[in-house]
Amino acid sequence: MKTFLKYITIAGLFFLIGCSEDTVGESLTGGISGKVVERTSNEPLENVKITTSPASSTVFTDENGEFVIEDVLVDQYSVKAEVEDYTTAFEAVTVTEGATSNVAFELLKSGANNKQPSTPQLLSPEDNAEEVDMTAEFVWNSSDPEDDELTYELELWNNVNDEVLTYSNIKDTTYTVEGLNSGYRYFWQVKVSDSINDPVLSSLYSFKTRNVPESRVLFTRLINGNNVIFSRNSEGEEFRLTSSDQNSFRPRKNNSVNKIAFLRVVNGQTHLFTMNPDGSQQKRITSNIPVNGFNLNLIDFSWSDDGAALVYPNFGKLYKINSVGGGTTLIYETQNGDFITEVDVSEDNGTIALITNNSNGYDADLFTINFEGEIQEMILNNVEGALGGLDLSLQGNKLLYTYDSSGYRNDSYRRLDSDLFIYDFSTRQFQNLSVEKPDGTNDLDPRFSPNEAEVIFVNTSNDDLSPKDIYTMPVNTGSSTGDDDDREVLIENAAMPDWE
């Protein structure tokens, strides 16, 4: 019996040993795959060494930044990616039976081996430059040994107050700053960063902005496809007030608050802005209700309340807004769906002159209302040709405007024979000021001179292609004594005048 039990025990041991050997020979495995890219550019990185802990195979990424490690025992691993000039990265991964686990690496260039960008060289304005415009273009130069992506920061401060202007995250080596103060000395410096090393500072330059004298004439000129606002003093000197990088137009000055209001296109919408006469402190006034109508190049607005407010159209509605922003109220709305194109408010705020028209600019009305929205006088009704250019006299007893006497209509709103007219409210008579206008031209955008003895206006060919010039002319030129010498060119290649 004892011998039999002995044989049974030995047989059991052999059976257990056989089972153990079968388990070891069937180890469970999976795989690890992944991709390595450069963090800032997202470009794949080749020949990156990939290892694991616990240890498995060592592999390198291919030209696509990809790798695969096969036959890795089921377990939890730390995967390491390392290559020269980049920081080493680690990712955790769990390998499961019969599956390939994926990891991704974004490597950042190592600061230890990466070189700093070159010190920015300031190019414009030059050090100690004088007579710099209030809209100034800053230009500098810098480079990086590894062609890292560079970002810049421009700082400006002055010798008058503690204001520091900082413009960050600039990708180019040029930057335009608007609204600098007249006659200030400014200091400027540029900082460059490659996002790896410490930023590098340029040297410090200074410049002085020009003194802009009091100028009574404002106008616009096309530069690089945008309208740019200028002022002109009595000596004929011109001063640029807005940047050519933005479309700014229709300047209107108010002497009571010593501000210039104007229109500017912002993200596809046209808004009211104000600025100082030297172009500084440019401020947006309108917000959720922009200026709008059938043709933004023809739309006009007006100061009111002695400079405390502005009145402007939005399609068929007329709004008033505080000249510092806010307080928007609806004054008037057309009842027939017509658009409001031009508006002017009398000096005493008793009268608002309006031009309304259909969506094509025609079937226009010229009339006056009060601030309660009540129509006071219908001057012209449903006329054939194009109307425009409103300006009320100081006393509100005369109204200057333009009318295309040809009555021509077309889809592009081309005018063939636009003349200047003055309507007298007391006599209800019309005076044509354009009796000596050259054939084939249009008189447009008129304004009374400050003493109302003259008008300032634009004359241009009716081909809608030729340059525009600004003229002046006595108000009495429509009399029998008027001659061609009454019309004098004031500014060439200019439009949208204002004379206050």
Side-chain angles (χ1 to χ4, degrees):
M1 186 66 181
K2 292 182 180 179
T3 302
F4 176 76
L5 290 174
K6 178 179 178 182
Y7 286 132
I8 291 296
T9 302
I10 293 171
L13 288 173
F14 278 117
F15 176 77
L16 290 173
I17 292 170
C19 290
S20 177
E21 288 175 351
D22 288 344
T23 303
V24 172
E26 296 178 3
S27 298
L28 304 180
T29 64
I32 302 173
S33 67
K35 186 170 183 177
V36 184
V37 298
E38 203 275 328
R39 179 180 296 180
T40 56
S41 67
N42 207 37
E43 291 294 322
L45 293 176
E46 188 177 3
N47 291 323
V48 179
K49 182 180 179 181
I50 306 297
T51 56
T52 65
S53 179
S56 63
S57 301
T58 297
V59 297
F60 293 84
T61 57
D62 60 18
E63 65 274 10
N64 298 316
E66 298 174 347
F67 67 89
V68 176
I69 306 176
E70 298 177 338
D71 299 326
V72 182
L73 292 177
V74 170
D75 203 345
Q76 292 183 336
Y77 292 87
S78 174
V79 184
K80 180 168 71 171
E82 57 182 332
V83 66
E84 187 178 359
D85 294 334
Y86 287 85
T87 56
T88 300
F90 297 86
E91 292 289 343
V93 66
T94 299
V95 176
T96 58
E97 180 186 1
T100 300
S101 302
N102 189 265
V103 291
F105 292 93
E106 294 180 345
L107 301 190
L108 188 66
K109 283 191 175 181
S110 172
N113 299 305
N114 188 273
K115 297 179 181 178
Q116 288 182 314
S118 64
T119 301
Q121 301 299 308
L122 307 186
L123 304 178
S124 180
E126 296 180 358
D127 196 19
N128 297 314
E130 301 281 339
E131 299 293 311
V132 174
D133 284 338
M134 268 56 69
T135 295
E137 183 180 51
F138 294 86
V139 183
W140 60 90
N141 189 26
S142 182
S143 61
D144 188 84
E146 289 86 11
D147 291 327
D148 296 327
E149 183 178 358
L150 302 180
T151 57
Y152 301 94
E153 181 178 278
L154 168 65
E155 277 197 351
L156 282 169
W157 58 97
N158 62 72
N159 63 341
V160 177
N161 53 47
D162 295 329
E163 181 183 39
V164 178
L165 303 174
T166 303
Y167 306 93
S168 303
N169 200 32
I170 303 171
K171 301 297 184 182
D172 202 356
T173 55
T174 64
Y175 194 82
T176 300
V177 176
E178 293 184 337
L180 298 178
N181 291 294
S182 170
Y184 277 35
R185 177 159 294 281
Y186 282 91
F187 304 90
W188 69 292
Q189 192 170 38
V190 171
K191 181 191 299 182
V192 61
S193 172
D194 61 2
S195 301
I196 301 170
N197 298 282
D198 291 334
V200 181
L201 278 172
S202 72
S203 56
L204 184 66
Y205 274 20
S206 72
F207 63 90
K208 187 175 181 182
T209 53
R210 63 169 56 190
N211 287 300
V212 176
E214 285 294 324
S215 303
R216 307 190 73 171
V217 174
L218 301 169
F219 64 94
T220 64
R221 180 173 288 142
L222 274 174
I223 301 176
N224 299 331
N226 285 326
N227 289 294
V228 179
I229 298 175
F230 288 79
S231 65
R232 182 185 186 275
N233 65 13
S234 56
E235 285 75 38
E237 293 180 290
E238 297 178 358
F239 304 91
R240 188 175 71 171
L241 304 183
T242 62
S243 169
S244 59
D245 293 334
Q246 295 175 296
N247 191 16
S248 307
F249 56 102
R250 198 64 67 183
R252 295 283 180 252
K253 187 179 180 194
N254 184 280
N255 289 326
S256 296
V257 293
N258 200 31
K259 289 281 187 180
I260 297 170
F262 62 98
L263 300 178
R264 172 175 288 167
V265 178
V266 180
N267 296 326
Q269 292 185 331
T270 300
H271 287 277
L272 274 168
F273 281 71
T274 61
M275 62 181 170
N276 290 337
D278 61 10
S280 63
Q281 296 185 23
Q282 298 180 12
K283 178 184 178 182
R284 177 170 156 179
I285 305 303
T286 50
S287 55
N288 58 319
I289 304 176
V291 180
N292 222 328
F294 94 100
N295 189 325
L296 291 171
N297 289 318
L298 302 174
I299 280 184
D300 207 347
F301 61 92
S302 178
W303 287 94
S304 71
D305 297 349
D306 204 27
L310 291 157
V311 176
Y312 70 97
N314 179 280
F315 295 114
K317 296 179 179 180
L318 187 69
Y319 291 95
K320 183 170 80 168
I321 187 171
N322 296 333
S323 60
V324 294
T328 305
T329 56
L330 178 66
I331 299 174
Y332 174 77
E333 183 175 3
T334 61
Q335 300 303 304
N336 57 1
D338 278 357
F339 295 164
I340 300 169
T341 298
E342 301 239 11
V343 55
D344 194 52
V345 180
S346 64
E347 193 76 14
D348 63 1
N349 289 300
T351 302
I352 303 173
L354 293 177
I355 289 177
T356 62
N357 43 253
N358 63 24
S359 59
N360 296 316
Y362 298 113
D363 299 331
D365 295 339
L366 171 58
F367 59 100
T368 60
I369 63 172
N370 57 25
F371 271 89
E372 283 69 48
E374 301 167 333
I375 295 178
Q376 295 178 312
E377 182 174 349
M378 182 64 67
I379 302 169
L380 294 172
N381 177 240
N382 201 33
V383 298
E384 287 292 318
L387 281 174
L390 288 186
D391 191 27
L392 284 160
S393 64
L394 184 65
Q395 294 179 305
N397 59 340
K398 292 182 179 180
L399 179 62
L400 179 63
Y401 67 96
T402 66
Y403 175 56
D404 183 4
S405 304
S406 74
Y408 181 68
R409 297 184 181 212
N410 76 334
D411 292 339
S412 63
Y413 201 69
R414 179 179 172 183
R415 290 158 287 186
L416 296 183
D417 192 20
S418 181
D419 292 342
L420 308 183
F421 289 88
I422 291 180
Y423 175 73
D424 190 314
F425 286 94
S426 59
T427 64
R428 297 191 174 181
Q429 297 297 309
F430 298 87
Q431 177 189 0
N432 188 339
L433 302 183
S434 298
V435 291
E436 298 297 339
K437 182 190 70 178
D439 292 339
T441 68
N442 289 318
D443 285 345
L444 306 165
D445 284 339
R447 306 288 290 179
F448 282 112
S449 67
N451 63 8
E452 298 185 355
E454 297 178 88
V455 292
I456 189 171
F457 62 98
V458 170
N459 180 261
T460 185
S461 170
N462 66 15
D463 63 9
D464 272 355
L465 298 173
S466 299
K468 298 176 180 179
D469 298 320
I470 293 177
Y471 286 72
T472 59
M473 176 174 59
V475 168
N476 64 8
T477 193
S479 66
S480 59
T481 59
D483 56 51
D484 197 32
D485 291 335
D486 287 335
R487 303 165 66 95
E488 295 184 3
V489 178
L490 182 66
I491 310 170
E492 295 182 345
N493 186 27
M496 301 185 188
D498 188 54
W499 192 358
E500 300 297 335

